[in-house]
Amino acid sequence: MFVTFLSSLALTAAAQDVAEDAPILQLEAPAAEPVSALVDTAEDYAAYHSVIADLRDAPIGSANDLDSAMDRLTTFYSDERLVRAWIAYTAMIAARHPEYLDDVRELADYYGPQAAMSGLMYDPAYATSFTHSADAQASVVDALDRDTAQIREVSERYRAAAYDLQTGNDGRWARVRARDRQDRLDAITNAGEREIALDADISSLVTSGMAASELFQPTSAEFETESMTPQLSLTVGETRANPDRTRIGRILSVAALEDLSTDPQRSSDVIDALLSDPVVERCLAWVRLDLQQCVAAGHYKYEDSFCIAEHALLDVSRCLGASTGTPN
């Protein structure tokens, strides 16, 4: 019995030694899924429309109010910042149409992914010729119509404010001379150095398929279903400019290439090239030039409200329409 007891103690001690020496298996937490570069770029377009939404109700009662509005808008107008974000965001809308993406995959299965990607890259308008591309095009055009309509709405507010400021308060604003012209011009020139921020709750909606302007509506759930359905009706007597095939095709091509590529580096290089639209870039370059000339020519501070309305808003809505000749 005593021998058995000693043997039991020995086995228990050996087991404890083994347990202490045994390696402990620790599973690493799964790495967070990297954010798509396309989505990251698209967030700047959502951030731009957050500014547009704010300016619908922002105060227009002081020189600082006008300076703030101009600074916030021109942050997006330097280099290719807004153009790239505009294409990336609308490509997210096109990507919400699986039938269109299926058409593209069939092409890739037949000719090979690289051949399909090359075709879409070198002839963006080709993306509009797929069987189910019409629905994707309609959603993109509808979103652009909604977004530019909101920009024009805010433009009208600042245009009206220019006249109200000039005549209101016994004409006090009409006597306020603009003495900071060089500072204003420097602020426009250096606008690209400012940081762009977007709330996390809005960032999560970038791929929802909603028009960017509708991300900031008070009842977003109501608008989500509506925005996913192309709105093709027209008011009697109203004309709708034909969408530019190359412009819309570029957006559809970006959506297709993002879906096709299994090589992240190749996808990044190809998509990066398509996020550049020379026509829109030239248009926004003229916006900056016209805005600077308007500011330089202004003698009174209320005139800045007109410059914001005409150039920082209305002209931009024309640049970002579905057509190169989008009517007002």
Side-chain angles (χ1 to χ4, degrees), residues 7-20:
S7 299
S8 177
L9 288 178
L11 289 173
T12 300
Q16 290 176 343
D17 290 340
V18 171
E20 291 176 357

Side-chain angles (χ1 to χ4, degrees), residues 105-124:
R105 292 182 194 123
E106 287 182 13
L107 176 74
D109 289 342
Y110 188 82
Y111 291 104
Q114 294 303 319
M117 291 176 67
S118 296
L120 290 165
M121 179 180 177
Y122 293 112
D123 182 15

Side-chain angles (χ1 to χ4, degrees), residues 13-278:
Q16 290 176 343
D17 290 340
V18 171
E20 291 176 357
D21 295 338
I24 299 174
L25 179 62
Q26 293 182 337
L27 298 177
E28 295 183 0
E33 186 175 344
V35 177
S36 163
L38 192 64
V39 174
D40 193 44
T41 302
E43 289 183 351
D44 283 352
Y45 186 67
Y48 173 69
H49 274 278
S50 74
V51 172
I52 297 296
D54 286 346
L55 295 183
R56 285 182 301 187
D57 303 305
I60 311 176
S62 70
N64 287 338
D65 291 339
L66 294 178
D67 289 349
S68 174
M70 192 180 297
D71 287 345
R72 295 180 71 191
L73 289 169
T74 54
T75 296
F76 295 88
Y77 300 161
S78 61
D79 302 322
E80 301 177 358
R81 178 177 283 181
L82 183 58
V83 180
R84 295 173 63 83
W86 169 74
I87 295 174
Y89 188 94
T90 47
M92 297 287 96
I93 295 174
R96 300 283 293 186
H97 289 270
E99 297 87 355
Y100 164 64
L101 296 181
D102 285 344
D103 286 347
V104 176
R105 292 182 194 123
E106 287 182 13
L107 176 74
D109 289 342
Y110 188 82
Y111 291 104
Q114 294 303 319
M117 291 176 67
S118 296
L120 290 165
M121 179 180 177
Y122 293 112
D123 182 15
Y126 176 58
T128 64
S129 65
F130 289 93
T131 303
H132 294 98
S133 65
D135 289 341
Q137 291 180 68
S139 290
V140 168
V141 171
D142 178 63
L144 292 177
D145 285 349
R146 292 167 185 263
D147 290 350
T148 54
Q150 187 184 76
I151 299 172
R152 291 195 299 274
E153 175 189 334
V154 178
S155 170
E156 287 303 315
R157 179 175 186 245
Y158 276 83
R159 185 187 301 276
Y163 296 105
D164 292 342
L165 292 172
Q166 182 182 9
T167 59
N169 291 327
D170 299 323
R172 178 177 60 85
W173 271 79
R175 298 189 296 272
V176 178
R177 296 190 67 85
R179 302 184 183 278
D180 64 343
R181 297 300 82 184
Q182 190 56 54
D183 289 343
R184 280 287 84 220
L185 294 173
D186 289 343
I188 295 172
T189 300
N190 299 321
E193 298 175 4
R194 303 188 193 103
E195 294 294 326
I196 295 175
L198 182 65
D199 291 342
D201 56 339
I202 298 298
S203 177
S204 66
L205 297 175
V206 166
T207 60
S208 67
M210 299 172 66
S213 55
E214 293 183 348
L215 297 176
F216 307 95
Q217 297 287 352
T219 53
S220 58
E222 174 187 341
F223 284 95
E224 183 171 4
T225 301
E226 183 182 353
S227 64
M228 291 293 291
T229 304
Q231 306 297 312
L232 303 178
S233 62
L234 292 175
T235 303
V236 175
E238 178 183 338
T239 58
R240 188 174 194 171
N242 291 327
D244 182 86
R245 188 166 177 260
T246 299
R247 177 173 294 193
I248 302 303
R250 183 184 302 276
I251 292 168
L252 266 61
S253 292
V254 170
L257 291 167
E258 177 79 352
D259 181 74
L260 273 183
S261 181
T262 57
D263 180 351
Q265 184 58 49
R266 169 67 172 162
S267 174
S268 176
D269 292 343
V270 171
I271 291 173
D272 190 65
L274 283 178
L275 290 180
S276 176
D277 188 321

